[in-house]
Amino acid sequence: MTVMPSDASVRDAYTARADEYVRLLGSVDAMAPADERRITAWARSVDGRIVDAGCGPGHWTKHLHDIGCTLEGVDLVDAFVRSARERFPDVTFRRGDLRDLRVDDGSLGGILAWYSLIHLDPAEIPAVLAEFERALTPGGSLLIGLFDGADIEPFPHKVVTAHRWPAAEMRRALEAAGFAVTDIEQRADPGARPHAAIVAVRPRR
């Protein structure tokens, strides 16, 4: 049986490698061009404030700020928040928990959760998606990036245990949380694990 990491163990694992992570993966230039296109197009469709939930080193937060979005980055790892504030002083970053974004009900136009759900136990996903749904305004949009796979299963991520999710299973979880899924992209880049990006909206009632 695989034991999923706690918040403390995830935080400690990323803290121990924060400098390396920022150096290797802390810029949009280090990301897949297809990801940049996807995230940029999604952000430009959002009306209202965005939270980059699980922003890591803050590179996507900075990118969205530079294209004119109003947003803040939120992350569990203090070392990432400190680094992001130092590297991108014109952008707002704070420490936070995906289970409690500390924003008013219906106050966000968008939430970016780019590979920030991968270390959660699958049993925690419904509560996190419910928090995202609570925070978004009707018509607000969520973009999730994740490792795609045939089954929901853990694997030894380079930093700390993560999960693959079949896109269809994440879709079902999103719909159970009250979202309407509007787009799913799946791809397998050379030398990288299979990827999925899912856009979902909180319906207007």
Side-chain angles (χ1 to χ4, degrees):
M1 181 178 69
T2 300
V3 177
M4 288 306 299
S6 65
D7 281 358
S9 61
V10 170
R11 185 173 58 245
D12 291 349
Y14 274 99
T15 298
R17 302 185 66 174
D19 290 344
E20 174 190 9
Y21 197 97
V22 170
R23 185 175 69 255
L24 296 176
L25 298 171
S27 74
V28 172
D29 289 344
M31 303 293 103
D35 289 349
E36 181 179 353
R37 292 191 295 271
R38 163 66 61 169
I39 292 172
T40 299
W42 168 80
R44 286 181 168 151
S45 75
V46 171
D47 181 16
R49 186 163 66 99
I50 296 172
V51 164
D52 184 357
C55 65
H59 49 294
W60 289 120
T61 326
K62 169 64 171 172
H63 173 69
L64 297 188
H65 173 273
D66 287 349
I67 66 171
C69 299
T70 300
L71 80 164
E72 63 179 347
V74 177
D75 203 85
L76 177 71
V77 181
D78 292 311
F80 281 156
V81 173
R82 286 195 302 270
S83 173
R85 286 172 174 168
E86 291 170 1
R87 295 194 305 139
F88 311 125
D90 54 339
V91 186
T92 300
F93 295 95
R94 62 177 169 87
R95 188 181 180 280
D97 188 330
L98 302 186
R99 303 169 190 85
D100 180 8
L101 294 178
R102 291 190 283 123
V103 299
D104 292 338
D105 293 358
S107 62
L108 300 179
I111 297 172
L112 176 64
W114 200 250
Y115 283 87
S116 57
L117 306 183
I118 61 172
H119 300 300
L120 292 173
D121 189 301
E124 295 185 282
I125 293 294
V128 171
L129 296 182
E131 170 65 0
F132 290 174
E133 195 269 347
R134 177 200 69 80
L136 285 168
T137 190
S141 181
L142 168 66
L143 173 58
I144 295 176
L146 65 152
F147 293 115
D148 199 6
D151 298 293
I152 302 174
E153 60 181 1
F155 69 92
H157 184 271
K158 289 182 179 179
V159 179
V160 63
T161 301
H163 266 85
R164 300 181 182 89
W165 272 77
E169 288 293 336
M170 185 59 75
R171 177 178 193 146
R172 280 190 276 273
L174 285 160
E175 291 173 344
F179 285 96
V181 173
T182 60
D183 186 54
I184 298 177
E185 174 197 40
Q186 295 170 274
R187 70 173 199 268
D189 296 340
R193 295 184 179 95
H195 158 87
I198 303 176
V199 178
V201 299
R202 180 183 176 185
R204 301 179 189 275
R205 306 297 184 189

